[in-house]
Structure formats: C-alpha cells, structure tokens
C-alpha cells in the first residue's frame, strides 16, 4: 500500500538519451511535485503541479517536462540527458497546499554515463 | 541565495544524549516549518512541523523550538537512539499563494553512537 510510488528505482543511461520516470500517488492528494536531490543531498523543488496550475522552478532546464495524465500521476520526462542530471529524483504529493505535510516517494536514482 | 540555512552539516551524539540541529530562514513570508527525516535509500518523511504562532512543539522525543524575531528554529531530539541515525532536513514554505513547494536546508547527517 505504498502511498507515493516511483518507477524505476534505478535508471542508468547514456548521455543524449531521453528517459521518463513515473510517479503515482494513492492518497487522493491534489498537488504533486518533483524534487531533485544532488550528490550532496541538497533537495530542490523542480515542479509543483495540480490540476489547475503547473509551477516550474525557473532554474530547471526545459529538457525536463512533467506530464500528468490524471490527478494521481505525475511523470517526469527528460530529454537529451547530461552528466549533470545524475541525481536522485523524488516525487511527492500534498493536500490543501501542504498544510497536512508532504508525502515523498522512495526516489529514483538516475545515473547518466 | 539559500533561503534556509541549516547547521551543523554533520553531528555525532552519544546514545541517550540530546541532538540539536539549527536552522535560520530569510523570507519572512514563510509560515510553515517542518522537519524531515531521511534514511539511506528512502524518501524524506515528515517528522514534526510548527507554525509561527507557537514557540515550541513537542511530539514524543522530538521538539521544535521557534524564534520568530530571530528567524530561527531548531530540532531537539531527546534521549537520542541509534535508530535516530539519519539525515535531517529543515524546511519552510509559504502556505498561501505562489509556488507551493518546500524550501529545504542542506541537511544534517546525524550519527548516534551506541
């Protein structure tokens, strides 16, 4: 009964490839997010999305794009992967602008070689 | 510009001792301050959170102290146990309007020695 699930858990790919990470939440939350955790464990928000609005962190390259087929899913597409994209990517969800907290998935470790 | 500054970067505490992690923020519009605990290979999990209308919140062995005038808040872990060894992140957000996500500190790697 995983609340926020991400697939795959590990992803190794070559530079220049295009890849996707999937995320699903079964909590009925209205907002989903993608966070990036770098090698120093710093967590930084990439996207915030509900069924009305997508908010993009201005520092995120446009090679990254979220796709939400429905309220329970927010997938992350990455084009033309670069070495610097190697990181752990976390999906998260919240309800009511996070006043009850955020629930994170267990992460996808992306390694670009 | 880092909006939430966390210290120390790493901390070693003996079992049974008190672990203290400090955070300072810059944006006075922040009005929700959670602490997250992360174990290796796992996502961050909410530990405890506080809003600026109170100066302290306690849940079990975990206490948040909040100083609005100094724009600082801290996590105290009483009777620290080896199972508390993890990375701890403070965070902050603006509840209403604007970007909805959390702004995190850089994390504290806590080791509790038996």
């Amino acid at each position: 009964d995983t609340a926020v699930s991400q697939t795959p858990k590990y992803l190794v790919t070559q530079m220049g490839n295009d890849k996707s990470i999937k995320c699903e939440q079964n909590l009925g939350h209205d907002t989903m997010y993608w966070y990036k955790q770098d090698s120093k464990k710093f967590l930084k928000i990439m996207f915030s999305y509900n069924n009305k609005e997508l908010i993009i962190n201005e520092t995120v390259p446009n090679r990254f794009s979220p796709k939400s087929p429905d309220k329970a899913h927010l997938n992350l597409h990455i084009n033309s992967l670069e070495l610097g994209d190697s990181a752990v990517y976390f999906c998260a969800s919240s309800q009511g602008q996070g006043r009850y907290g955020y629930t994170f998935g267990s992460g996808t470790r992306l390694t670009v070689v | 510009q880092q909006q939430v500054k966390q210290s120390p970067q790493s901390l070693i505490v003996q079992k049974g001792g008190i672990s203290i992690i400090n955070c300072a923020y810059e944006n006075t519009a922040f009005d929700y301050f959670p602490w997250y605990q992360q174990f290796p290979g796992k996502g961050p999990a909410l530990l405890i959170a506080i809003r600026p209308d109170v100066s302290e919140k306690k849940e079990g062995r975990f206490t948040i102290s909040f100083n609005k005038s100094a724009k600082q808040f801290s996590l105290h872990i009483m009777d620290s146990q080896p199972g508390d060894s993890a990375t701890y992140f403070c965070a902050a957000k603006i509840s209403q309007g604007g970007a909805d996500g959390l702004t995190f500190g850089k994390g504290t790697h806590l080791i509790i020695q038996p």
Side-chain angles (χ1 to χ4, degrees):
Chain A
D1 284 2
T2 304
V4 179
S5 59
Q6 298 177 228
T7 54
K9 188 169 179 64
Y10 301 97
L11 182 56
V12 181
T13 187
Q14 291 187 328
M15 281 175 51
N17 284 351
D18 302 337
K19 289 294 179 185
S20 295
I21 305 172
K22 294 184 176 182
C23 178
E24 176 182 5
Q25 56 98 0
N26 62 5
L27 298 167
H29 286 172
D30 57 14
T31 307
M32 297 182 73
Y33 313 82
W34 279 103
Y35 283 81
K36 179 180 180 180
Q37 187 170 46
D38 63 23
S39 59
K40 296 184 178 180
K41 292 204 168 184
F42 183 49
L43 277 158
K44 191 170 184 180
I45 188 167
M46 300 176 69
F47 302 102
S48 164
Y49 184 81
N50 63 23
N51 58 4
K52 299 176 184 175
E53 189 177 15
L54 170 66
I55 300 174
I56 303 172
N57 185 314
E58 60 186 11
T59 66
V60 175
N62 57 15
R63 298 180 294 102
F64 290 78
S65 59
K67 306 285 185 191
S68 181
D70 56 55
K71 200 175 164 182
H73 297 82
L74 184 65
N75 304 323
L76 182 64
H77 296 271
I78 315 170
N79 296 325
S80 303
L81 278 156
E82 300 177 358
L83 292 176
D85 298 332
S86 296
V88 181
Y89 292 85
F90 287 99
C91 179
S93 69
S94 75
Q95 179 66 28
Q97 294 188 324
R99 67 173 68 101
Y100 306 112
Y102 295 72
T103 303
F104 284 80
S106 57
T108 296
R109 181 174 293 277
L110 171 65
T111 303
V112 182
V113 297
Chain B
Q1 180 185 13
Q2 186 188 352
Q3 294 197 59
V4 180
K5 295 182 180 180
Q6 183 171 347
S7 63
Q9 188 173 2
S10 60
L11 180 63
I12 300 174
V13 175
Q14 295 296 314
K15 179 182 175 182
I18 302 173
S19 303
I20 302 174
I21 305 170
N22 300 300
C23 282
Y25 62 97
E26 298 168 4
N27 188 343
T28 54
F30 287 143
D31 60 359
Y32 174 70
F33 303 90
W35 285 88
Y36 280 78
Q37 180 188 56
Q38 185 180 26
F39 293 105
K42 301 293 185 183
L46 179 64
L47 194 61
I48 187 172
I50 197 168
R51 297 193 185 275
D53 52 344
V54 297
S55 60
E56 186 175 282
K57 183 174 181 180
K58 184 176 180 180
E59 290 183 1
R61 296 184 294 109
F62 301 93
T63 300
I64 300 178
S65 297
F66 185 82
N67 185 329
K68 188 174 181 179
S69 60
K71 293 189 286 185
Q72 295 175 347
F73 58 110
S74 60
L75 176 69
H76 291 63
I77 306 174
M78 311 300 288
D79 187 26
S80 300
Q81 299 297 311
D84 297 330
S85 296
T87 300
Y88 292 80
F89 294 93
C90 62
K93 78 177 293 287
I94 302 167
S95 291
Q96 299 295 331
D100 188 30
L102 292 165
T103 299
F104 283 91
K106 289 194 172 183
T108 297
H109 185 212
L110 174 65
I111 297 173
I112 307 300
Q113 290 186 333

